[in-house]
Amino acid sequence: MSRKVLFTLRHAPYGSAIAREALDALLATAVFGQDISVLFMDDGVFQLLPEQAPGGLPQKTLSSSLSALPLYDVEKLYVHAPSLEARGLTRDELALDGLVSLSSEDVATLFSEQDHLLSF
Amino acid sequence: MSTLHTVNKSPFAQQTLTSCINICRAGDALLLIEDGVYGALPSAPTAQALKALVNDRKVHLFALEPDLQARGLNDRISDWVKVVDYSGFVQLSTEHKTVQSWY
Amino acid sequence: MKFALAIYAAPFSVQASQTALHFAQTLLEQGHEVIRVFFYQDGVHTGNQLATPPQDEQDITQAWRALARAHQLDVVVCIATALKRGILNEEEAQRYQQPASNLAPEFTLSGLGQWVEAVVHADRVVTFGA
């Protein structure tokens, strides 16, 4: 049985473990063959900045792990456009390819299409 | 299909409730829990947006009674906020297809 | 209905841990089925049976243990996030040569696969974040 599951990632990396442990949960869900979508929203869009170098903390680089998502067949990748705009970012400068920009209305539609909503 | 949204952060301190308000659509329900119940105050920065959500966008707005009571808010909340207990929380989660937790 | 609950919030630190407990108790009172409770992130501290709150505070670990016993709940602590936070059962304590274990016997240490399985079979998934 395969379920439509949306991971909504709303937290910035490094300051807390949420982003890292969300990615672990996401990859586990992908390995078990669920129909996954991923939405970066609010401070979650900061996970997508290029040139992250947390070695001095030290922590593992989240953005390089995120770029492995397509290898796990996670290909429905979305970013909330108003969250990017509010932070002075554009989709083209982000570390992940294939991101689809969504308006708030589009996000509401995406929510409505899911079996479960997992929030991190 | 509709969604139950829960919000547990005060709108005086964080943007969580605003983020949720922007995503709610007609038929959804929004339940304020924990520090989220401060969003039921008429003085909250989100008060007008919540009123519009209820009146114009047909979203059902609730606050969790024990969390209001704990914080001394029972008699201070806006009249467009409905109050539910845990039974109501459970019922809302069964009436909507999905639950989105904003924290 | 079949519910799966995910709890990311630490006990004694934030209210979300108590919210989740109330919600689970109410679900069961109303005859719903809780197919799995999955503690993840800081929620794993809920399984620490060495937590010793003062008598006039709620003992949330004991409350979960009692609920789990009363309803034969499947209460799972994520092994990866638990081990690094020092939540170990006896088997893991031996494996890693640690001097003690602390996981309450009503809890199971297991992997994220258990969570995915619960998500697949649940009618509703409810998350309790910090």
Side-chain angles (χ1 to χ4, degrees), chain B residues 85-88 90-91, chain C residues 1 3 5 20-34 67 70-71 73:
Chain B
D85 58 11
Y86 271 94
S87 296
V90 166
Q91 192 180 336
Chain C
M1 270 189 178
F3 280 76
L5 307 183
L21 177 66
H22 271 293
F23 188 80
Q25 288 167 333
T26 309
L27 281 178
L28 293 162
E29 278 162 24
Q30 298 195 352
H32 294 290
E33 191 185 343
V34 177
L67 194 70
H71 298 273
L73 290 186

Side-chain angles (χ1 to χ4, degrees), chain C residues 100-112:
Chain C
S101 64
N102 55 2
L103 186 72
E106 291 82 358
F107 290 76
T108 313
L109 270 185
S110 197
L112 279 159

